[in-house]
Amino acid sequence: SHILCQFVKQWYQRRVRGTLQMGFPYVDVVLQPSKDGSKTTIKLTQSRFLKGDQLPDDVSDFGYKWHIPFTYLKEGSADSYSNVTWLTPEKDETLIEEEGDLDWIKGNGNGNFYYITNYEKPVWQELSKKLSAGSIQAPTDKSSLIYDAFSLAEIGKLDYGTALDLTRYGINETEYTVLSRILNNVLSAGNTIQGDKDAMQKFWSYVASMLKPRIAEVGWTGNASESITMPKLRDMVIRNYCRAVANKTDPVVVEALEKFNKFADDPSKDNKAEIADVFVSITRTAIIYDNETDTNWHKMWDLLQNSEWEADQKNYMAALARSTNTTLLEWMVERSFDDNVRGDTWRYLYYVHVYGRQYDLSWKLLKKHWDKYAKKYNTSSFTMGYLTGMPGVFETTDMLNTVKEFFDSKSDNIGTGLKASKEALTEIQSNIKWRSKNADAVKTWFANL
């Protein structure tokens, strides 16, 4: 009964600490080989993960220490996991002894637990090599490595070059959950260097080369025997490859445009069924590679206005927003206030911002039509919050002051958008700090490809 009581006590402490204090931990791993190389001591310490401009100024009765179940893969046994070693709040560090001279371990084996693992740079470099060699095989381990690296880079605990190095093996990745995590982080990094033409060209080339090997594997249509994630993989690969390759004569782009034109000429259910898995891919590709007279854009506008399905309407709006013709985009937002136009009014502007990445234009139109949006949406928290949160992408002190001045002047009708407007200002401040610390490193990494 004594053993049972101790078990219940420890279980209770772990649960309470995990739920009654904000945030989560990361674990620093240091490998310390013995002088003769016969053993390696794994030293573990825990810290609270703080993101962005968060400050450790709040107080926890538990001192922001957790009970952490640490497991790991190690060199020589990358297909099996260690037993659990518990990091406890009472210890500043935890030591594990392993036989041999270890060059690497991968913490949080199988990604089962909610903590991030950090390593010294040589270990990260070894992990990158192991990914490329296929020595780390479980999708959960690969995915959690990518997640940990970019999360740590975002808070300054790892340089972005090292995090991006982990993505190099992505050209061989076939699992949707892992490849999507790699791609999302690479695309996010690319968004930060849009002002550098040469680096952006190499960035898109990097994305295209990563995805090209998957094109033949995913095909254009599915079958009953394929995995449940294959339709998502198919759409992600084709959509992003077409965007990245920047070549209207590329066979994949050509086929996507042919499929769009066939559907636009006859948007029947049968034709829609033929392209179900790649519907998003072909509509967005059609706009990205539109001609000088915006033929595909006008076709898609008609498809939108004749669509009865909300999901299709959202897809058409997201595709239309990718046009580089700002005159058309401004006209579209103006028309969105008409009662006979399909889709939610706010979504047209929001999609120009999110999918079109026309940040200056969306900010201009938000200010221009502010009173209309406020009248229509300032009692709807989620909607007005979407709009007032848009300026959070800016990253200069001038824009911080401009956005603040504007929102301060709208205190009488900002309504439920107030919280998101404050969060947007905080995000701009974080962006300014992030750019000053990391932008050059990201730009250099892509420029040196």
Side-chain angles (χ1 to χ4, degrees):
S1 61
H2 174 70
I3 295 175
L4 178 60
C5 288
Q6 286 294 106
F7 173 81
V8 172
K9 180 180 178 181
Q10 290 177 6
W11 176 87
Y12 175 76
Q13 289 175 337
R14 293 164 190 164
R15 296 291 293 176
V16 166
R17 286 178 181 270
T19 56
L20 296 186
Q21 58 183 353
M22 295 176 62
F24 59 93
Y26 70 92
V27 176
D28 274 311
V29 175
V30 176
L31 302 183
Q32 300 174 325
S34 62
K35 290 182 179 181
D36 62 2
S38 63
K39 292 184 179 182
T40 299
T41 299
I42 305 171
K43 185 174 79 170
L44 309 174
T45 56
Q46 63 165 295
S47 302
R48 184 186 180 195
F49 185 88
L50 287 171
K51 186 176 180 181
D53 281 341
Q54 288 180 315
L55 297 174
D57 56 358
D58 49 343
V59 177
S60 165
D61 292 338
F62 307 105
Y64 289 107
K65 297 292 183 180
W66 286 262
H67 292 269
I68 302 173
F70 190 82
T71 59
Y72 55 96
L73 300 175
K74 67 176 181 177
E75 191 171 13
S77 59
D79 57 348
S80 61
Y81 303 106
S82 69
N83 294 326
V84 173
T85 298
W86 283 94
L87 280 68
T88 62
E90 294 76 25
K91 290 184 178 181
D92 292 333
E93 64 181 38
T94 300
L95 303 178
I96 304 172
E97 297 291 334
E98 277 284 357
E99 296 295 325
D101 188 356
L102 298 182
D103 290 328
W104 65 276
I105 67 168
K106 188 275 169 184
N108 198 2
N110 209 26
N112 283 331
F113 303 106
Y114 199 57
Y115 61 89
I116 286 173
T117 312
N118 192 16
Y119 314 89
E120 294 178 293
K121 188 169 183 176
V123 176
W124 278 113
Q125 293 169 336
E126 284 296 318
L127 288 167
S128 182
K129 293 176 184 177
K130 296 305 175 184
L131 285 172
S132 296
S135 300
I136 300 174
Q137 298 181 352
T140 48
D141 282 319
K142 293 184 286 186
S143 184
S144 64
L145 263 181
I146 300 298
Y147 176 81
D148 287 2
F150 281 92
S151 297
L152 291 162
E154 189 172 349
I155 66 170
K157 299 297 181 182
L158 182 68
D159 65 273
Y160 263 88
T162 300
L164 285 164
D165 281 341
L166 291 175
T167 70
R168 290 180 185 273
Y169 96 98
I171 194 170
N172 298 317
E173 185 55 67
T174 60
E175 289 282 348
Y176 167 73
T177 54
V178 185
L179 187 57
S180 63
R181 174 151 284 169
I182 293 172
L183 184 61
N184 286 339
N185 281 293
V186 170
L187 291 175
S188 294
N191 287 339
T192 68
I193 59 170
Q194 293 189 56
D196 189 310
K197 185 177 180 180
D198 291 338
M200 281 301 293
Q201 187 175 4
K202 290 189 175 182
F203 158 73
W204 285 120
S205 178
Y206 182 68
V207 173
S209 63
M210 182 188 297
L211 298 177
K212 189 173 183 178
R214 306 282 79 78
I215 293 292
E217 297 172 4
V218 299
W220 291 89
T221 56
N223 59 70
S225 63
E226 68 183 19
S227 69
I228 193 171
T229 58
M230 179 56 80
K232 292 183 178 181
L233 179 65
R234 179 176 296 115
D235 171 64
M236 181 186 73
V237 168
I238 294 176
R239 172 166 43 89
N240 286 286
Y241 176 80
C242 287
R243 178 185 174 193
V245 74
N247 180 4
K248 196 169 187 175
T249 64
D250 184 275
V252 182
V253 175
V254 170
E255 186 161 359
L257 294 175
E258 288 175 352
K259 289 181 182 297
F260 170 75
N261 285 322
K262 178 182 178 181
F263 173 73
D265 292 341
D266 179 17
S268 63
K269 289 184 179 180
D270 289 341
N271 283 341
K272 173 71 179 298
E274 288 181 12
I275 57 172
D277 283 0
V278 293
F279 187 55
V280 173
S281 297
I282 67 167
T283 52
R284 295 187 187 180
T285 301
I287 300 302
I288 292 171
Y289 292 94
D290 209 353
N291 58 26
E292 293 181 356
T293 58
D294 303 295
T295 301
N296 291 342
W297 197 95
H298 292 291
K299 286 182 179 180
M300 201 170 303
W301 176 262
D302 290 339
L303 288 169
L304 167 59
Q305 301 312 318
N306 290 316
S307 174
E308 299 288 340
W309 298 98
E310 183 179 8
D312 287 350
Q313 292 169 13
K314 291 178 181 178
N315 177 56
Y316 292 137
M317 281 190 275
L320 290 167
R322 288 185 175 271
S323 173
T324 57
N325 186 334
T326 55
T327 301
L328 268 182
L329 295 178
E330 190 162 355
W331 176 86
M332 179 175 73
V333 172
E334 298 274 0
R335 285 293 311 276
S336 71
F337 291 98
D338 295 349
D339 291 337
N340 61 342
V341 169
R342 297 280 190 183
D344 297 314
T345 299
W346 69 273
R347 203 179 295 277
Y348 283 89
L349 177 61
Y350 185 69
Y351 281 13
V352 167
H353 177 82
V354 172
Y355 294 106
R357 293 184 173 83
Q358 297 280 355
Y359 302 140
D360 291 334
L361 178 62
S362 61
W363 173 237
K364 168 190 167 184
L365 295 177
L366 176 63
K367 292 187 293 182
K368 180 179 179 180
H369 300 296
W370 174 266
D371 288 336
K372 293 180 183 177
Y373 287 121
K375 182 178 180 180
K376 192 176 182 71
Y377 296 119
N378 70 358
T379 58
S380 175
S381 59
F382 71 92
T383 300
M384 202 61 185
Y386 283 137
L387 299 179
T388 57
M390 292 192 308
V393 298
F394 292 123
E395 51 194 19
T396 66
T397 302
D398 286 345
M399 282 307 301
L400 174 64
N401 295 332
T402 298
V403 173
K404 185 178 187 307
E405 182 180 354
F406 177 78
F407 283 145
D408 285 347
S409 71
K410 300 301 179 183
S411 59
D412 60 328
N413 66 348
I414 196 170
T416 51
L418 179 61
K419 183 175 184 291
S421 71
K422 292 180 178 180
E423 291 171 349
L425 294 173
T426 300
E427 288 172 6
I428 297 174
Q429 291 174 320
S430 294
N431 294 342
I432 293 170
K433 292 180 180 179
W434 186 95
R435 176 162 288 278
S436 68
K437 294 179 180 179
N438 302 303
D440 288 343
V442 174
K443 188 184 300 183
T444 299
W445 192 88
F446 284 111
N448 290 338
L449 285 173

